[in-house]
């Protein structure tokens, strides 16, 4: 059960996104915030996309002020706050079993390409050590390494584009369903005709 805690310890825990929520007993909210904070950090490091890090201060400030707002609420309001994850599976339909089964080949292709690119980058690290032992030109290594780095960024870019197209397509289908359900049917028409 959630309950208010010591203000100083709450402040200390609020310095790490999600930890303050966990300290106050809101485990699901805390795990969500901490997970997204460190996931962005990891993805930006793996893909070498430092621009992605601009989201982290937003998450940090949200978590910091959220914890202090929770702790300063009147008792009735505090106990009425429900602990829930920030994101749900319904927010990400592409993670559902039906979507994965429908798009199995595309998902498999993306995973294979990602695996090949990651393997390429690991082999380039090994090649760097070998070239150092035999005093082979490091420019050749740099060219190979750039290819691996750029291909990983390109794959991430394609993923973002496909995700955006998927979201637009779903919104258009949703609007079309709303339009077709609000259109009155003429006598003799069925819903199959629409």
């Amino acid at each position: 059960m959630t309950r208010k805690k010591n203000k100083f310890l709450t402040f200390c825990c609020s310095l790490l996104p999600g930890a303050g929520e966990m300290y106050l007993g809101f485990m699901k909210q805390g795990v969500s915030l901490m997970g997204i904070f460190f996931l962005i950090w990891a993805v930006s490091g793996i893909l070498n996309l430092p621009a992605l890090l601009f989201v982290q201060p937003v998450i940090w400030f949200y978590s910091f002020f959220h914890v202090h707002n929770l702790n300063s609420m009147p008792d009735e309001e505090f106990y009425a706050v429900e602990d829930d994850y920030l994101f749900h599976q319904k927010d990400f339909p592409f993670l559902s079993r039906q979507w994965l089964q429908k798009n199995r080949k595309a998902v498999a292709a993306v995973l294979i390409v990602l695996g090949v690119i990651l393997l390429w980058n690991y082999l380039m690290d090994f090649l760097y050590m070998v070239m150092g032992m035999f005093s082979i030109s490091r420019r050749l290594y740099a060219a190979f390494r750039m290819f691996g780095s750029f291909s990983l960024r390109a794959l991430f870019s394609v993923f973002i584009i496909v995700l955006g197209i998927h979201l637009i397509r779903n919104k258009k289908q949703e609007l079309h369903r709303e339009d077709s359900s609000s259109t009155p049917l003429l006598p003799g028409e069925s819903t199959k005709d629409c």
Side-chain angles (χ1 to χ4, degrees), residues 14 17 37 55-68:
S14 71
F37 184 81
V55 178
Q56 283 193 310
V58 174
I59 295 169
W60 188 90
F61 279 106
Y62 172 82
S63 177
F64 182 82
F65 290 111
H66 183 246
V67 167
H68 293 288

Side-chain angles (χ1 to χ4, degrees), residues 19-185:
E21 284 84 359
M22 290 183 198
Y23 177 70
L24 292 176
F26 297 99
M27 293 297 173
K28 293 177 182 177
Q29 289 179 15
V31 166
S32 297
L33 283 166
M34 192 176 284
I36 195 72
F37 184 81
F38 286 109
L39 180 68
I40 289 171
W41 190 20
V43 167
S44 68
I46 290 170
L47 298 178
N48 195 18
L49 292 170
L52 195 59
L53 292 175
F54 82 92
V55 178
Q56 283 193 310
V58 174
I59 295 169
W60 188 90
F61 279 106
Y62 172 82
S63 177
F64 182 82
F65 290 111
H66 183 246
V67 167
H68 293 288
N69 286 335
L70 283 173
N71 209 33
S72 65
M73 285 181 171
D75 289 342
E76 309 83 44
E77 288 181 33
F78 182 80
Y79 294 123
V81 174
E82 192 173 325
D83 185 24
D84 196 9
Y85 293 108
L86 297 178
F87 306 103
H88 299 89
Q89 187 172 355
K90 65 180 170 67
D91 298 331
F92 303 98
F94 54 88
L95 294 178
S96 69
R97 183 180 297 262
Q98 295 84 10
W99 187 90
L100 288 173
Q101 287 177 348
K102 180 180 169 188
N103 300 297
R104 185 181 320 172
K105 288 182 182 178
V107 171
V110 168
L111 290 175
I112 289 169
V113 169
L114 181 62
V116 167
I117 291 171
L118 290 173
L119 181 62
W120 175 270
N121 286 333
Y122 290 130
L123 289 175
M124 288 302 102
D125 289 340
F126 177 73
L127 182 64
Y128 181 75
M129 292 186 323
V130 170
M131 289 175 140
M133 288 190 297
F134 295 110
S135 300
I136 301 174
S137 169
R138 300 204 187 237
R139 288 185 180 178
L140 180 65
Y141 165 78
F144 282 128
R145 186 66 176 176
M146 272 196 321
F147 173 76
S149 177
F150 287 140
S151 57
L152 195 58
R153 289 183 194 172
L155 182 65
F156 183 71
S157 301
V158 168
F159 172 75
I160 295 291
I161 292 168
V162 169
L163 181 62
I165 291 170
H166 179 72
L167 292 172
I168 289 171
R169 208 179 275 163
N170 280 351
K171 187 66 176 172
K172 282 183 179 177
Q173 290 173 352
E174 185 180 307
L175 290 173
H176 180 69
R177 273 183 264 156
E178 287 177 5
D179 287 344
S180 63
S181 65
S182 64
T183 306
L185 296 175

